[in-house]
């Protein structure tokens, strides 16, 4: 149980376009979703925290107007990279605390974004 | 702000030897410390975790120790195998359970046959 489905797994887009990444909790309600970014050979860095029905909380240095996060339902959180640039190319991954396990977290499978 | 330091960044061992990776954390409120194994391009896979109310946990060849006073925790892998080769990340929960995880920078473990 406690599966988070993340799509797409890979996406290549042109500079200036927008890309939407979806994370769906399949068998539990995710009131919170954490969005991480991982550059090659680096660690996972928290970008923002989305909470269902309220505005996302962004980490310092993350542009909220560029990385739009929507958490409109208990099973879906989306990250939209707007006006993408090559430096946005990265591995984006979502993670949700598991309600059934007070200390557990479930990760999506990640999205490899390449901006050309 | 909160931080998790991880050492070493790379570790190479012979098959059958033990590997130890160490992490320190700064957030006194952290009470959950998972370890993840990540293969290239894939999601992190939880391999073991420990909560702040215990000092040690073991699962077959993998063990984790936690010293809350010193704010450090370690991963121990015994009888290493080539398939243990991967990047390992430690993490600490921010502000207690259900908060986001703060990750260490990772350790690339290479197990040589």
């Amino acid at each position: 149980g406690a599966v988070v489905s993340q799509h797409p797994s890979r996406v290549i887009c042109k500079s200036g376009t927008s890309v939407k990444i979806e994370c769906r909790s399949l068998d539990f309600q995710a009131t919170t979703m954490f969005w991480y970014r991982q550059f090659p050979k680096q660690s996972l860095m928290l970008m923002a925290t989305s909470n269902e029905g309220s505005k996302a909380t962004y980490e310092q240095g993350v542009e909220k107007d560029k990385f739009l996060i929507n958490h409109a339902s208990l099973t879906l959180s989306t990250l939209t990279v707007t006006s993408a640039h090559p430096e946005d190319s990265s591995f984006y991954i979502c993670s949700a605390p598991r309600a059934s396990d007070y200390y557990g977290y479930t990760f999506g499978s990640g999205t490899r974004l390449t901006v050309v | 702000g909160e931080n998790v330091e991880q050492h070493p960044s790379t570790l190479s061992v012979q098959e059958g030897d033990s590997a130890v990776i160490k992490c320190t954390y700064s957030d006194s409120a952290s009470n959950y410390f998972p370890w993840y194994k990540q293969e290239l391009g894939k999601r992190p896979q939880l391999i073991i975790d420990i909560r702040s109310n215990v000092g040690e946990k073991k699962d077959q060849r993998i063990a984790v120790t936690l010293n809350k006073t010193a704010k450090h925790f370690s991963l121990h892998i015994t009888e290493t195998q080539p398939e243990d080769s991967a990047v390992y990340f430690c993490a600490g929960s921010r502000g207690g359970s259900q908060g986001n995880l703060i990750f260490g920078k990772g350790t690339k473990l290479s197990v040589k046959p």
Side-chain angles (χ1 to χ4, degrees):
Chain A
V3 175
V4 171
S5 176
Q6 182 171 349
H7 294 282
S9 58
R10 290 180 178 270
V11 58
I12 300 173
C13 71
K14 293 183 178 179
S15 289
T17 61
S18 296
V19 173
K20 179 185 281 188
I21 301 170
E22 292 188 349
C23 280
R24 293 181 182 273
S25 57
L26 298 186
D27 50 2
F28 70 105
Q29 293 182 331
T31 55
T32 299
M33 190 73 73
F34 302 116
W35 286 93
Y36 293 88
R37 178 170 54 185
Q38 185 177 31
F39 291 110
K41 298 185 179 181
Q42 295 189 25
S43 188
L44 289 84
M45 298 299 295
L46 181 69
M47 298 175 64
T49 301
S50 71
N51 293 290
E52 186 269 334
S54 62
K55 290 184 178 180
T57 303
Y58 290 81
E59 296 299 299
Q60 192 172 8
V62 178
E63 300 175 58
K64 60 180 67 177
D65 294 331
K66 180 172 181 59
F67 298 99
L68 302 179
I69 290 176
N70 185 280
H71 196 148
S73 77
L74 288 171
T75 59
L76 176 63
S77 178
T78 62
L79 167 68
T80 301
V81 183
T82 63
S83 188
H85 290 276
E87 55 264 33
D88 298 324
S89 298
S90 186
F91 188 62
Y92 293 85
I93 191 164
C94 59
S95 174
R98 295 196 298 264
S100 61
D101 179 351
Y102 195 57
Y103 290 91
Y105 297 81
T106 297
F107 283 85
S109 54
T111 298
R112 172 72 59 193
L113 171 63
T114 304
V115 184
V116 298
Chain B
E2 302 90 351
N3 192 36
V4 174
E5 297 282 343
Q6 182 172 349
H7 298 280
S9 56
T10 60
L11 179 59
S12 182
V13 299
Q14 286 294 133
E15 182 177 0
D17 288 350
S18 295
V20 180
I21 303 171
K22 298 182 178 181
C23 288
T24 59
Y25 61 97
S26 61
D27 186 356
S28 299
S30 292
N31 58 6
Y32 175 66
F33 307 94
W35 285 89
Y36 291 91
K37 177 182 180 182
Q38 188 180 30
E39 296 176 357
L40 190 64
K42 296 187 177 181
R43 80 183 88 192
Q45 296 284 345
L46 178 70
I47 56 171
I48 196 167
D49 56 12
I50 192 167
R51 304 175 191 180
S52 59
N53 58 347
V54 297
E56 185 174 357
K57 183 177 179 180
K58 188 174 181 180
D59 182 5
Q60 298 183 336
R61 298 187 295 110
I62 296 172
V64 57
T65 58
L66 170 65
N67 183 326
K68 280 209 72 178
T69 303
K71 292 184 186 174
H72 67 69
F73 55 112
S74 300
L75 176 70
H76 304 253
I77 306 175
T78 58
E79 300 172 31
T80 55
Q81 300 166 3
E83 49 266 38
D84 293 330
S85 297
V87 178
Y88 291 81
F89 291 98
C90 63
S93 60
R94 179 197 262 174
S97 58
Q98 299 281 294
N100 69 278
L101 295 175
I102 300 171
F103 286 85
K105 292 190 174 181
T107 297
K108 183 175 181 181
L109 174 64
S110 299
V111 181
K112 300 187 177 185

